[in-house]
Amino acid sequence: MKLLALMKKEFYRFFHDPRLIVTMLLPGIIIYFIYSVLGSVIWDDEEKNYTYDVYVSGESQITAVFDGLVEKGTVKFIQTEDVESAKEAVKQEKAAALIVFPENFDELVADYEAGSSPVDSAPEVQIYYRSADESSYSFYLLASGAFGKYQNRFVINNGAAYDLSDANEISMSVMGGILPFLVVIFIFSAGMSVTLESVAGEKERGTLATILVTSVKRSHIALGKIIPLSCISAIGAASSFLGVSLSMPKLMGASVGSVMSSFGFLSYLFIFLLILSVVPLITALISVVSAYSKSVKEASAYTGMLMILVMVLSLVSVFVSDIGGWIVAVPILNAVVCMQNILAMQFSVWQSLVSFGLNFVYTALLVFAISKMLSSEKIMNGS
Amino acid sequence: METDLFDGEIVRVDGLRKTFTLSRKQQRTEKTGLKRKIAVDGLSFTARKGEIYGLLGPNGAGKTTTLRMLSTLIKPDAGDAFICGESIVRNPQKVRDKIGFMTSELKLDGFFTPDYLFNFFGEMHGCGKEELKQRKEELFARFGIDRFANVRVKDLSTGMKQKISLVVSIVHEPEVIIFDEPTNGLDVVTAKVVTDFLLELKNMGKSIILSTHIFSLVEKLCDRVGIIIDGKAVADGTLQEVCGGVTLEEKFFEIYRSVKGVEE
């Protein structure tokens, strides 16, 4: 009952303050408009119903997933043995993509047993494309999505260098790669705006001490802050995330539908779960810093440094390929890398599940730390 | 309960000691080279049920530190105190339900209304809804808060804020009420409301411990008084026992001069 009353108080504080609600939702709306406007300037508003000329090297039955589109004339497969010339054609925008199946691909797929065979030995389909070309990138998303249902049987583009765009052109597609990084930053900034005020602010104003002289358990005070503040931060982060994810395809020149359809239900579920694990962790982290600080000013300085650290590490992870499995043990960063893998169609269930679980363990440890800090007169009273 | 009430003793303070570490800045301000300051030094006293006990002393004597230890906000370095038989060291959570603590350092969030805060702190102490409703009506009417029950605290006058703090601190009908400088910063009208209410609480059988440096307040309200100088209890007893026929002010300065070694 006491925990419920503490949680209700935090929700009441937020939902009865229009200024807090506006500051929480506004970033997402602004991002959506800025990205959309930027996208419409970069990309002209041409008809988005492309036809794709696609080179295919090797053979496989899985191209049957495109039968409907081939009949409609949307996709035209051109069989080739000269991979290098085909790559050149893709580079020069003469073809949308090049799909390379290894020899005896279908037999390799039939022999491969997901789970028991080593991942390295999984058959690989290579799709060469240009992320900077609207039509080429759109086909890549379409093909990745269509082949996605065979995800446990083979891998698509294991490694890098399948994007044939030059460095400048790639920069736009990198925007898609940094989406998880942006999500974490949005959660951080949403969390900062409410948590600093609620924890460091209450401590500074002496209103937290008024609660400390009641018989409520310190762990309930900690949870009574973390749970509602996480929900509120999630609202703010969701607003920013929606703003980015709805406007990102416009910025990249693809349609929302084609990007959305390229990811399966499982991908969305895991992205959601990873975000779900990161929100309370970041809220708890900011709460620890806030509880330790003497004032909101001091807390925001520390949190700012923490945010920069997370930003730098998350950004580095965008550009470093083949990060080892140890990354799942690093709080927050594990979710960033897992989300990047999901978006790059290199999704690992165990990695995502372990990251999800570990982030909750870290959150529980931080809640325990906050309870201890609330009992510490040195921290609460500065004596 | 760890110990039974002995001879009506509701608060027993037993050799409380508290020291604070001084920062370099604080050392310069206090003009001392010592790294630790003894705020309370082996303090002992007893308050009886249904009485008002006054802790009288100059600024910096250790009154507030003592009350903060009794209210379990800070822990003593040595010694213990028992409130309704519960140890402040071993059972602070149980002590918190037995006491109401009011001090200027505990603030109410100005965003909320008196009505919301009363219910919230009532729930924090585990009070039932019906009990809370009845008590709120009674206390809000008694202090004239009812007209402002749904106005945010930040929009109310200082006097009204003080009344709300007072009401919120006793929302759970505590056995012992601890007040740090109860009339500090109040206008004469609000101060009178507070002192009258303290007497009313006493008549209701509540026990009160208050700290003050105002002699007249002790003379008007307190049954027993403890004089505290430099963290040590230098006198303790009923007003008659402590004063011995002279006024409290005269007695205080007589003790103060002897403790501090100041010539007449």
Side-chain angles (χ1 to χ4, degrees):
Chain A
M1 278 305 287
K2 291 180 184 179
L3 175 60
L4 202 67
L6 283 160
M7 285 166 56
K8 270 161 62 182
K9 176 177 159 276
E10 294 300 325
F11 281 123
Y12 184 96
R13 182 79 176 80
F14 177 75
F15 286 109
H16 284 77
D17 192 340
R19 279 183 312 155
L20 277 181
I21 298 174
V22 169
T23 50
M24 194 60 83
L25 298 180
L26 208 57
I29 298 167
I30 292 173
I31 287 165
Y32 177 76
F33 280 107
I34 292 176
Y35 276 24
S36 299
V37 169
L38 213 61
S40 66
V41 172
I42 296 169
W43 307 95
D44 49 21
D45 260 345
E46 282 174 18
E47 181 60 48
K48 296 285 192 289
N49 294 325
Y50 304 110
T51 54
Y52 308 105
D53 289 341
V54 179
Y55 282 105
V56 178
S57 166
E59 284 178 4
S60 171
Q61 291 172 4
I62 65 163
T63 52
V65 292
F66 291 108
D67 280 356
L69 294 172
V70 172
E71 275 171 33
K72 273 198 231 166
T74 309
V75 175
K76 188 179 156 196
F77 288 122
I78 306 159
Q79 199 65 36
T80 181
E81 294 310 315
D82 187 354
V83 171
E84 289 311 312
S85 303
K87 275 189 198 174
E88 201 52 41
V90 174
K91 261 188 188 176
Q92 290 170 8
E93 299 183 42
K94 287 176 186 162
L98 161 67
I99 304 175
V100 179
F101 293 108
E103 208 173 324
N104 303 324
F105 177 72
D106 288 349
E107 284 164 35
L108 290 172
V109 169
D111 292 343
Y112 179 72
E113 284 175 38
S116 57
S117 307
V119 179
D120 291 348
S121 69
E124 182 193 3
V125 179
Q126 299 170 334
I127 305 174
Y128 291 90
Y129 66 102
R130 293 176 72 253
S131 63
D133 175 31
E134 209 172 338
S135 142
S136 177
Y137 186 63
S138 175
F139 177 79
Y140 170 68
L141 292 175
L142 188 73
S144 310
F147 293 160
K149 55 180 152 180
Y150 300 104
Q151 229 165 31
N152 286 334
R153 315 292 307 169
F154 61 86
V155 293
I156 305 168
N157 290 4
N158 191 12
Y162 296 99
D163 184 351
L164 301 176
S165 311
D166 65 32
N168 286 335
E169 290 172 328
I170 291 171
S171 65
M172 201 52 79
S173 69
V174 166
M175 291 297 285
I178 64 168
L179 198 68
F181 154 78
L182 289 175
V183 168
V184 168
I185 299 309
F186 293 144
I187 296 170
F188 226 109
S189 44
M192 266 175 87
S193 64
V194 282
T195 311
L196 289 181
E197 190 49 39
S198 176
V199 181
E202 282 222 38
K203 185 182 166 186
E204 189 179 2
R205 291 192 298 271
T207 53
L208 189 58
T210 317
I211 299 173
L212 289 174
V213 289
T214 67
S215 57
V216 65
K217 286 180 186 165
R218 273 41 182 162
S219 57
H220 284 187
I221 300 176
L223 281 172
K225 292 271 180 206
I226 304 290
I227 297 171
L229 291 175
S230 297
C231 295
I232 295 165
S233 304
I235 295 171
S239 157
S240 302
F241 178 70
L242 278 177
V244 171
S245 51
L246 293 178
S247 58
M248 187 66 81
K250 292 186 181 186
L251 184 66
M252 294 164 64
S255 73
V256 177
S258 68
V259 174
M260 300 275 275
S261 63
S262 64
F263 302 110
F265 168 75
L266 215 58
S267 303
Y268 280 107
L269 177 72
F270 273 90
I271 288 178
F272 173 75
L273 288 179
L274 288 164
I275 292 174
L276 197 71
S277 72
V278 166
V279 172
L281 177 59
I282 289 178
T283 309
L285 203 59
I286 302 173
S287 299
V288 167
V289 173
S290 300
Y292 178 79
S293 307
K294 289 189 179 75
S295 64
V296 177
K297 201 175 161 188
E298 190 182 330
S300 57
Y302 292 147
T303 316
M305 284 190 266
L306 203 64
M307 189 170 163
I308 289 168
L309 180 73
V310 172
M311 274 169 81
V312 170
L313 290 176
S314 307
L315 257 185
V316 166
S317 71
V318 175
F319 299 104
V320 176
S321 57
D322 296 331
I323 297 177
W326 55 266
I327 199 74
V328 293
V330 183
I332 304 174
L333 207 56
N334 52 12
V336 174
V337 172
C338 285
M339 282 191 272
Q340 281 163 356
N341 288 345
I342 291 171
L343 294 173
M345 307 282 175
Q346 290 164 352
F347 167 40
S348 159
V349 173
W350 78 265
Q351 215 175 31
S352 302
L353 282 176
V354 172
S355 302
F356 173 79
L358 276 181
N359 281 344
F360 276 105
V361 172
Y362 293 135
T363 307
L365 289 174
L366 288 174
V367 169
F368 179 73
I370 297 166
S371 314
K372 288 285 161 203
M373 289 168 89
L374 289 171
S375 307
S376 160
E377 63 179 76
K378 192 171 171 57
I379 291 171
M380 297 319 292
N381 301 297
S383 55
Chain B
M1 284 214 297
E2 293 193 3
T3 55
D4 290 326
L5 293 185
F6 178 72
D7 195 20
E9 288 177 3
I10 199 152
V11 177
R12 183 155 58 83
V13 176
D14 208 355
L16 278 188
R17 181 182 163 88
K18 183 73 186 173
T19 56
F20 294 114
T21 308
L22 293 178
S23 65
R24 285 197 178 162
K25 193 179 167 189
Q26 285 169 321
Q27 284 176 14
R28 277 198 300 273
T29 313
E30 303 220 353
K31 290 174 185 159
T32 174
L34 298 171
K35 286 188 176 173
R36 292 193 75 80
K37 182 191 176 182
I38 302 168
V40 176
D41 192 5
L43 188 71
S44 300
F45 66 86
T46 303
R48 296 173 197 279
K49 189 169 168 54
E51 284 187 354
I52 300 182
Y53 185 92
L55 267 180
L56 179 71
N59 288 342
K63 306 187 295 290
T64 300
T65 305
T66 304
L67 297 193
R68 287 173 79 196
M69 284 191 276
L70 293 183
S71 65
T72 73
L73 264 179
I74 57 174
K75 295 181 190 88
D77 295 343
D80 201 348
F82 299 90
I83 296 179
C84 302
E86 302 291 355
S87 158
I88 60 163
V89 178
R90 287 189 295 273
N91 261 333
Q93 201 162 331
K94 282 190 177 168
V95 168
R96 287 177 200 129
D97 265 341
K98 311 265 184 205
I99 60 161
F101 183 41
M102 202 185 131
T103 163
S104 56
E105 73 178 290
L106 299 184
K107 302 274 170 41
L108 296 173
D109 193 336
F111 179 83
F112 297 100
T113 63
D115 187 66
Y116 188 96
L117 288 170
F118 192 89
N119 291 339
F120 173 74
F121 282 100
E123 283 186 76
M124 288 300 99
H125 283 290
C127 303
K129 275 190 178 167
E130 235 358 87
E131 176 196 355
L132 266 179
K133 194 181 164 202
Q134 205 179 344
R135 201 158 160 70
K136 184 164 63 183
E137 276 173 19
E138 183 190 319
L139 285 170
F140 276 23
R142 168 77 179 77
F143 284 92
I145 300 170
D146 40 4
R147 285 176 296 142
F148 306 99
N150 293 308
V151 179
R152 283 184 178 170
V153 170
K154 66 178 179 188
D155 298 325
L156 296 171
S157 66
T158 310
M160 187 54 72
K161 281 179 190 162
Q162 186 80 354
K163 287 180 188 178
I164 296 160
S165 294
L166 186 126
V167 162
V168 163
S169 69
I170 55 167
V171 59
H172 54 303
E173 269 204 271
E175 281 296 306
V176 178
I177 296 140
I178 302 170
F179 279 89
D180 188 16
E181 309 277 3
T183 56
N184 248 22
L186 297 185
D187 65 81
V188 284
V189 179
T190 314
K192 172 95 169 71
V193 173
V194 171
T195 51
D196 286 353
F197 185 64
L198 287 175
L199 288 170
E200 201 175 308
L201 284 171
K202 178 190 157 184
N203 293 335
M204 285 161 67
K206 304 287 179 195
S207 315
I208 298 157
I209 296 178
L210 59 86
S211 75
T212 185
H213 56 266
I214 305 168
F215 300 114
S216 60
L217 194 74
V218 176
E219 284 169 332
K220 185 182 171 191
L221 295 177
C222 299
D223 300 290
R224 300 166 66 79
V225 62
I227 297 176
I228 171 169
I229 296 171
D230 291 340
K232 289 181 180 148
V234 289
D236 179 30
T238 60
L239 272 172
Q240 288 87 341
E241 285 167 356
V242 170
C243 294
V246 294
T247 65
L248 183 61
E249 187 173 351
E250 285 169 331
K251 190 68 192 177
F252 175 83
F253 282 109
E254 185 189 316
I255 296 170
Y256 186 79
R257 279 190 288 267
S258 71
V259 170
K260 291 282 191 182
V262 183
E263 293 290 317
E264 293 259 352

